[in-house]
Amino acid sequence: MIWYPYTLQYESDRPLKIVRAEKEFLYDEDGNSYIDAISSWWVSIHGHNHPKIIQAMKDQLDRLDHVLLAGFTHDPAEDLARELLHVTEGLFHRVLYSDNGSTAVEIMIKLAYQYFQNCGESNRNIFLKWNVSYHGDTIGTMSVGGDSLFNRVFSGLLFPTQEFPSPNCSFCPVGKKPGSCKTECVDEIETFFEKNPKRVAGIVIEPLILGSGGMIFYKEEVLQRLERVSEKYGALLLVDEVFTGFGRTGSFFAYQRAKIKPDLIAIAKGLSGGAAPIAVTLASKKIHSAFERPEPEKAFYHGHTMTGNPVACAAALVSTKLMFVESRLEQVACLEKKLKVGLRKIQEEFPKRIRDLRVMGAVGVLELEVGKESGYTYPGNKILKKKFLEKGVLLRPLGNVVYLTPPYVISDSSLEKIFRAIRETLVEIYSGN
């Protein structure tokens, strides 16, 4: 009946039916509870069914369910836009609403391309990307993502881009250590700019953490150098904060932690705290100014039916304010310390089975040593998910990468249960080996 996402269609496993949720817990139809250790694909940062978000949505439904945002406006969309421009400290000038992370990044790409068309630089049509990056499943976002199982079959539909090795501070592509690194991973990109000084429209990047590519971390200096290179050659910096935004890396946005100033950013996921589908693309004044023209062909013709939905905007406004009212960044800082301690204990118990441990903000990662079988198609992935679920914990490893992205409000007891489930699972898998 339902075509479930990222699921092999020959599989007969019955999906788990969830009937309600609260805080970090999901409850199935039989009354069993599960700790949502990945915030249901990284969205439920305040925990499930936060009463203030739910109440705001109910109140909004009593007034206005929806109205198109072309030629009309409403308070929730205006209030949210004002709040987002405030939390980004005046760096951006306009807010474009959409429905999900893919569309938010798609808008960035289209804006960057048309920006140069409007400015009379039509030769700037190349986008630079990293080889293990992921930005979504629409045609444009797949084009600026790395080659992967997700998009390989669609390669014939994608527009050409220029790909470079992704930065990786655990397993450096150019053989450096963090202490000796001088961001040599950017050298190839700068060389490409030198050879093509007026061809690049933009660099599309996930800041500090490459999420679906394997929760790969890299240092802030990489972003800072990319900013310098893009400025030098007049290209735009497009930052995908769909995963990293709203505190996930320890700062409100990852670009703020790196102290860079992108031209465009895309945000979604934590924007509504998981309560409603909504996404946003923020554009700088420089970008917007290129569209303030009288010619019809200079306008940006892009929109979605549910763009700026009042109920979703109401949820997102409360979610954004909760970051301050309930001190989420302080909670993330505490969570980071707890993740480091708990995962370190597991690593110490399995020194030969855990290839790498890394923690940043509210993201904790254990990368398992599985030899040549590593990667998203690692066959042990399904076994890991099943065993975790049997222990009352929802974890969906990215191949051999077991990661935690729990709600920021998760209790210590739930966190300990997650650690215990990981440890017990590894014991079961590796016992006798």
Side-chain angles (χ1 to χ4, degrees):
M1 182 171 63
I2 298 175
W3 194 321
Y4 294 97
Y6 303 108
T7 302
L8 297 178
Q9 294 304 299
Y10 79 88
E11 291 183 342
S12 58
D13 290 352
R14 179 173 176 268
L16 190 63
K17 182 176 283 188
I18 300 300
V19 296
R20 69 183 183 92
E22 183 180 8
K23 297 181 180 178
E24 69 262 38
F25 299 103
L26 302 170
Y27 298 89
D28 69 16
E29 58 187 340
D30 298 319
N32 300 311
S33 66
Y34 305 88
I35 299 171
D36 189 352
I38 59 168
S39 301
S40 285
W41 272 342
W42 321 333
V43 298
S44 302
I45 58 177
H46 311 291
H48 290 277
N49 282 50
H50 192 288
K52 291 183 179 179
I53 297 177
I54 301 304
Q55 189 60 54
M57 296 173 72
K58 289 179 178 178
D59 292 344
Q60 183 56 46
L61 278 169
D62 287 337
R63 296 189 295 271
L64 173 66
D65 57 350
H66 185 63
V67 65
L68 68 161
L69 208 61
F72 296 87
T73 190
H74 50 79
D75 286 341
E78 292 180 354
D79 293 343
L80 177 59
R82 194 175 297 111
E83 182 69 14
L84 291 174
L85 294 179
H86 172 69
V87 299
T88 50
E89 304 168 311
L91 180 59
F92 301 101
H93 188 61
R94 284 292 187 272
V95 175
L96 293 88
Y97 288 111
S98 59
D99 307 320
N100 59 74
S102 294
T103 57
V105 175
E106 194 89 16
I107 288 172
M108 281 204 304
I109 297 166
K110 291 176 69 175
L111 280 173
Y113 180 85
Q114 189 176 344
Y115 168 82
F116 286 111
Q117 298 293 313
N118 285 3
C119 292
E121 294 187 70
S122 57
N123 58 316
R124 285 191 180 268
N125 55 16
I126 299 175
F127 287 90
L128 310 188
K129 66 181 184 182
W130 283 326
N131 64 344
V132 297
S133 59
Y134 171 85
H135 299 285
D137 297 328
T138 55
I139 297 300
T141 57
M142 286 192 296
S143 297
V144 297
D147 175 59
S148 72
L149 184 67
F150 299 142
N151 59 25
R152 198 164 295 142
V153 69
F154 303 108
S155 60
L157 296 176
L158 309 184
F159 62 75
T161 55
Q162 191 68 33
E163 183 175 279
F164 298 90
S166 300
N168 186 331
C169 285
S170 293
F171 307 99
C172 179
V174 292
K176 295 291 182 176
K177 298 293 182 182
S180 62
C181 166
K182 294 182 180 178
T183 65
E184 286 89 346
C185 56
V186 183
D187 286 352
E188 283 190 42
I189 293 178
E190 185 156 17
T191 298
F192 183 84
F193 269 108
E194 290 170 353
K195 294 179 179 179
N196 304 273
K198 295 184 179 181
R199 293 294 315 283
V200 178
I203 308 173
V204 187
I205 49 176
E206 296 172 86
L208 300 182
I209 302 178
L210 305 179
S212 296
M215 294 295 164
I216 297 168
F217 295 4
Y218 65 93
K219 59 199 294 186
E220 298 163 15
E221 288 83 353
V222 173
L223 289 173
Q224 292 163 4
R225 185 176 174 194
L226 284 174
E227 180 183 48
R228 292 194 298 271
V229 171
S230 63
E231 286 181 348
K232 180 179 179 180
Y233 291 96
L236 302 177
L237 196 58
L238 286 61
V239 174
D240 176 355
E241 291 262 14
V242 171
F243 167 54
T244 54
F246 289 86
R248 189 60 73 179
T249 65
S251 59
F252 205 105
F253 291 106
Y255 82 81
Q256 292 171 328
R257 174 170 176 157
K259 298 180 177 60
I260 62 170
K261 295 181 178 180
D263 297 288
L264 295 154
I265 68 167
I267 55 179
K269 294 196 181 291
L271 175 58
S272 74
I278 184 172
V280 162
T281 304
L282 301 182
S284 67
K285 185 171 180 59
K286 178 177 80 171
I287 299 296
H288 182 251
S289 64
F291 294 84
E292 293 181 294
R293 310 288 177 85
E295 304 93 333
E297 63 272 18
K298 301 291 187 181
F300 184 59
Y301 293 103
H302 185 111
H304 301 271
T305 303
M306 300 300 288
T307 286
N309 172 259
V311 181
C313 286
L317 180 60
V318 173
S319 175
T320 303
K321 289 184 175 180
L322 284 173
M323 292 292 296
F324 303 98
V325 174
E326 297 191 356
S327 305
R328 291 289 181 257
L329 293 183
E330 288 84 348
Q331 290 175 320
V332 169
C334 291
L335 180 56
E336 181 179 55
K337 294 176 182 178
K338 294 171 185 175
L339 288 171
K340 287 179 179 178
V341 171
L343 294 178
R344 178 69 65 191
K345 290 179 180 178
I346 298 173
Q347 184 190 42
E348 290 172 351
E349 190 168 349
F350 301 92
K352 295 182 180 180
R353 300 297 185 180
I354 295 176
R355 186 182 183 215
D356 189 45
L357 159 66
R358 47 190 184 267
V359 176
M360 184 188 299
V363 182
V365 181
L366 289 175
E367 185 167 338
L368 305 182
E369 179 58 75
V370 294
K372 295 181 180 179
E373 295 180 320
S374 65
Y376 189 80
T377 56
Y378 167 58
N381 185 12
K382 186 176 180 180
I383 297 172
L384 288 170
K385 287 190 291 187
K386 184 177 181 181
K387 286 184 175 294
F388 292 143
L389 210 55
E390 289 172 351
K391 295 171 177 56
V393 175
L394 168 58
L395 285 168
R396 288 177 60 90
L398 294 163
N400 61 308
V401 175
V402 179
Y403 74 89
L404 284 70
T405 52
Y408 305 158
V409 297
I410 189 169
S411 65
D412 288 349
S413 59
S414 290
L415 205 54
E416 286 302 319
K417 184 174 180 178
I418 296 171
F419 295 145
R420 187 163 60 250
I422 295 174
R423 178 192 172 278
E424 291 175 356
T425 296
L426 294 183
V427 168
E428 292 169 12
I429 290 176
Y430 295 131
S431 59
N433 295 331

